[in-house]
């Protein structure tokens, strides 16, 4: 008879060492696996039960260590780390690859007219707003009014930026014109993410010591967290939106593309299939920074520094979920 699984496995942390890039990459390859969005509600509920029971010291009969870790990653892919709520399906990081392949492909195909740019930038920024809300840091509730204000300001600002860039590049070469979607996405990320997570900047995000004891909320930690997410998102989009413009510009000069519009369109769609890079770019860019980020106490707000030094004099660094 097999021995019962030990209850000492630390499933609060990822399976792999998060102090190394390779360890973080392995973690995010599992969390962002597109197959996770195909899991049924019953499978998610089963994984949720395994993890919640295990945290309470209850081990499901016959459960193996590999099954426990599999349940943890199913759980992590669908439930928010701070609130514990089931995340919106298209907002989960496992939906990034199929959603971004579709949206960025359309953005790079339909970029020549203002209505097309407006429509696809709005679609893209609405999707980004959902992702940014779903993967926010912290457990404070957000009212419908706050969410609506954040969405309108984020999408309006991002779309206006895209249209502005499109207007500036109308008289430049076709090659430069093809980079408009990427420039717009990069600039829009700098607007959309902070605005969708503006509550964190205003009120702070939870910070803890290394033992997960909550020490307060910090806006400085939120600034670092959001900055790291912005960098990751821009780099996440860069391979698929920076390489195709060069390829399409080169292929358009070839005779077979000039002869047939149909061939050109099909070729462009094939080039957009380079978006399969997202299978690798998404987890690798998520892995650039630890999910459980940290900063020195000396970089926190002065009043929070005083509070921590008074109540926890030995604490030198604080930790927080940066979001994704």
């Amino acid at each position: 008879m097999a021995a019962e699984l030990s209850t000492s496995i630390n499933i609060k942390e990822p399976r792999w060492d998060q102090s190394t890039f390779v360890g973080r990459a392995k973690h995010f390859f599992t969390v962002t696996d597109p197959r996770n969005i195909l899991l049924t509600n019953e499978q998610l509920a089963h994984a949720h039960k395994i993890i919640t029971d295990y945290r309470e010291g209850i081990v499901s009969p016959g459960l193996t260590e590999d099954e426990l870790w599999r349940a943890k990653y199913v759980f992590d892919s669908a439930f928010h780390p701070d609130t514990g709520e089931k995340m919106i399906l298209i907002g989960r990081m496992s939906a990034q690859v199929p959603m971004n392949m579709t949206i960025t492909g359309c953005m790079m195909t339909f970029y020549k007219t203002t209505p097309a740019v407006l429509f696809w930038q709005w679609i893209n920024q609405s999707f980004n707003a959902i992702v940014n809300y779903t993967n926010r840091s912290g457990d404070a509730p957000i009212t419908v009014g706050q969410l609506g204000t954040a969405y309108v300001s984020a999408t309006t600002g991002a779309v206006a930026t895209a249209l502005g860039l499109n207007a500036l590049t109308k008289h430049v070469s076709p090659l430069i014109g093809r980079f408009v979607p990427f420039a717009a996405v990069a600039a829009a990320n700098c607007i959309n993410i902070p605005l969708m997570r503006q509550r964190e900047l205003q009120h702070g995000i939870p910070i803890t010591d290394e033992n997960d004891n909550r020490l307060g909320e910090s806006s400085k930690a939120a600034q670092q967290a959001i900055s790291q997410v912005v960098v990751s998102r821009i780099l996440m989009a860069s391979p698929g939106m920076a390489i195709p413009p060069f390829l399409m510009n080169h292929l358009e000069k070839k005779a077979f593309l000039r002869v047939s519009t149909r061939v050109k369109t099909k070729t462009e769609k094939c080039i957009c299939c380079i978006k399969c890079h997202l299978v690798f770019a998404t987890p690798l860019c998520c892995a650039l920074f630890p999910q459980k980020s940290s900063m020195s106490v000396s970089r926190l707000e002065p009043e929070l520094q005083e509070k921590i030094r008074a109540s926890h004099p030995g604490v030198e660094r604080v930790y927080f979920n940066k979001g994704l």
Side-chain angles (χ1 to χ4, degrees), residues 121-141:
Q121 283 294 338
W122 173 71
I123 291 292
N124 184 50
Q125 295 310 321
S126 294
F127 168 65
N128 285 340
I130 293 172
V131 173
N132 295 335
Y133 168 74
T134 303
N135 294 280
R136 67 197 184 279
S137 176
D139 53 8

Side-chain angles (χ1 to χ4, degrees), residues 119-261:
F119 177 75
W120 286 108
Q121 283 294 338
W122 173 71
I123 291 292
N124 184 50
Q125 295 310 321
S126 294
F127 168 65
N128 285 340
I130 293 172
V131 173
N132 295 335
Y133 168 74
T134 303
N135 294 280
R136 67 197 184 279
S137 176
D139 53 8
I142 300 176
T143 66
V144 174
Q146 290 172 329
L147 185 58
T149 300
Y151 170 75
V152 171
S153 59
T155 53
T156 301
V159 170
T161 300
L163 290 176
L165 287 171
N166 187 60
L168 290 173
T169 56
K170 282 184 177 178
H171 304 293
V172 298
S173 69
L175 176 59
I176 299 299
R178 288 186 181 278
F179 279 99
V180 169
F182 174 59
V185 165
N189 270 322
C190 297
I191 297 171
N192 194 315
I193 297 173
L195 287 176
M196 281 306 296
R197 295 176 60 175
Q198 57 186 275
R199 192 188 186 286
E200 299 172 35
L201 295 171
Q202 295 168 352
H203 303 286
I205 58 177
I207 57 172
T208 67
D209 61 17
E210 59 183 1
N211 297 315
D212 290 330
N213 297 309
R214 192 158 174 165
L215 303 175
E217 289 75 35
S218 170
S219 296
K220 294 287 187 181
Q223 291 172 16
Q224 176 175 305
I226 291 172
S227 297
Q228 291 177 344
V229 171
V230 169
V231 171
S232 294
R233 293 286 188 83
I234 292 174
L235 293 177
M236 201 181 293
S238 60
M241 299 192 80
I243 297 173
F246 286 111
L247 294 177
M248 282 308 301
N249 192 65
H250 174 70
L251 291 174
E252 280 185 342
K253 297 176 182 178
K254 302 297 181 182
F256 80 96
L257 279 184
R258 289 199 296 267
V259 170
S260 171
T261 302

